[in-house]
Amino acid sequence: MDVRIVTGGGDRLTELESLEEWLADTPELRGRVTPVESPPPPGALGPVLDALLVALAPGSVATALATALVSWIRHRTGAVRVEVELPDGTRVRLEADRVRVLTEQQLRAELDRLLAALPAGGATAPPAVGTVEGPAGTRG
């Protein structure tokens, strides 16, 4: 099962490229991250990076992804947003201005929230910070 990841805020393309490198440096995610590209706009060279697909499998992959996403966003400067979309349309959003200032307890709750949304995550904690959207824009 693949989850789709997009970034927002700041320079979206630069942030997405940075996230791709960050995830590729996570041992549990190596070989599981695939860039999603669109054709270049007229007059431009090469395709444009739109999103990342991460292949999840049973075990620690969901935990590694959640941990890597929160860690990456905590190291960003300026406004940045990461949105993870599951195949059923559920979306989980993390934002730098919220994640960066979390205490250790709040950070654990944020990780649990993300893991609860990811397949095979296994966590059951309710959302602590950020936004979780269900299919068709419903909030959970």
Side-chain angles (χ1 to χ4, degrees), residues 70 74 98-113 126-129:
V70 171
R74 287 188 84 176
R98 292 185 179 179
V99 175
R100 197 177 297 127
V101 297
L102 296 178
T103 66
E104 285 303 312
Q105 183 179 12
Q106 291 169 322
L107 180 58
R108 182 69 240 170
E110 188 68 6
L111 280 170
D112 287 346
R113 180 183 74 82
V129 177

Side-chain angles (χ1 to χ4, degrees), residues 4-20 49-52 69 72-73 76 79-84 94:
R4 182 180 174 94
I5 301 173
V6 296
T7 59
D11 182 351
R12 189 187 68 76
L13 180 58
T14 300
E15 296 295 350
L16 200 52
E17 290 171 342
S18 171
L19 179 57
E20 181 181 17
L49 183 61
D50 287 328
L52 300 173
L69 286 173
W72 176 80
I73 205 169
R76 309 313 303 151
V80 66
R81 182 185 77 240
V82 174
E83 188 170 286
V84 179
L94 299 171

Side-chain angles (χ1 to χ4, degrees), residues 38 86 104 126:
S38 62
L86 282 62
E104 285 303 312

